[in-house]
Amino acid sequence: MRPPASGRTAEAALLIGADGIRSATRSLLDRHAPTPQCAGLYSVSGVADGIETEPGIFNLTFARNGTFIHLAAPGGKIWWSAQVSSPVQPEPTLTDGEWLRRLAGLYRHERVPSAILDATVELHRPTLMHRLDPVPVRHSDRIALLAGAARPVGAGQGASMALEDALVLARSLAAEPSAAAALAAYEAVRSSRVAKMAKAASVNRDAKTPGRSHGGCATW
Ligand SMILES: Cc1cc2nc3c(=O)[nH]c(=O)nc-3n(C[C@H](O)[C@H](O)[C@H](O)COP(=O)(O)OP(=O)(O)OC[C@H]3O[C@@H](n4cnc5c(N)ncnc54)[C@H](O)[C@@H]3O)c2cc1C
């Protein structure tokens, strides 16, 4: 096979594409495979200090401009994540201070998120969130897509779906007489569960955006 970017070639009996939502393996398998689209959300996260919150509780605020998650972290700190609803991409040039001021404006109507943003001591740069239309071709006799490359489940369950996929694929490869039979068995076992989780994740994601999910993003 030929990885599109490098131009190098390699021989293998089996190729497992565990290369995430921007999978190059997906387009090797099917050149008409869907490509990721902006979900109309971006995520910024950070660590705050000096704010009391109850340990063991996952807090989710539905705010006017998105959602805000926070929970108690070790050492008396708070881990937080703002998922901002926006049809435009985050501006890459903003400094951490400018980001904090922007978020403070977006969450100014919410008391707890405002206090946490004000007490932030560490900021993680924004991540643009994507969605992917259903992938019709997820395996052949010698190539399989795993986890986000095949069916991105999104925040909340994506990592556990990736682990489950890997375990089922490993078991299928050990149990079946050929790679082709193993990949067919893997798809048969995983299909309905991952489709159900992906649907739940889409509903969850789209509940954080106004109106329908966006098909693309404009830049600032
Ligand atoms: C903002 C955000 C928050 C999230 N929060 C959660 C959460 O709280 N809980 C949860 O369960 N899930 C969460 N998710 C979803 C979770 O991150 C994904 O479902 C999960 O990472 C998918 O795993 P994966 O192994 O398929 O892909 P990835 O984690 O994307 O891993 C793919 C890997 O392949 C590598 N790669 C890609 N192309 C190539 C190549 N050509 N050659 C070599 N390597 C390559 C990449 O560098 C990457 O390391 C979140 C996602 C986002 C964006």
Side-chain angles (χ1 to χ4, degrees), residues 1 12-20 23 25-26 138 142-147 149 165-166 169-170 173 183 186:
M1 58 156 282
L14 173 65
L15 173 67
I16 298 170
D19 46 354
S23 173
T25 317
R26 188 171 59 234
R138 295 186 289 272
R142 291 174 54 206
I143 304 177
L145 301 178
L146 193 95
D165 271 2
L169 180 57
L173 286 166
L183 299 190
Y186 158 70

Side-chain angles (χ1 to χ4, degrees), residues 46-51 76-80 115-122:
V47 180
D49 201 1
I51 301 269
K77 294 189 174 163
I78 286 184
W79 289 331
W80 61 263
I116 292 170
L117 289 167
D118 198 39
T120 290
V121 291
E122 187 182 323

Side-chain angles (χ1 to χ4, degrees), residues 18-20 43 127 129 146-149 154-160 162:
D19 46 354
S43 165
T127 305
M129 302 184 75
L146 193 95
Q157 293 291 337
S160 46

Side-chain angles (χ1 to χ4, degrees), residues 3-5 17-25 41-45 58 69 81-83 126-130 146-163 165:
D19 46 354
I21 194 169
R22 291 189 180 81
S23 173
T25 317
L41 285 170
Y42 63 84
S43 165
V44 191
S45 56
F58 183 95
I69 296 163
S81 174
Q83 290 188 351
T127 305
L128 197 57
M129 302 184 75
H130 290 87
L146 193 95
R151 273 177 290 223
V153 170
Q157 293 291 337
S160 46
M161 288 301 103
L163 291 169
D165 271 2

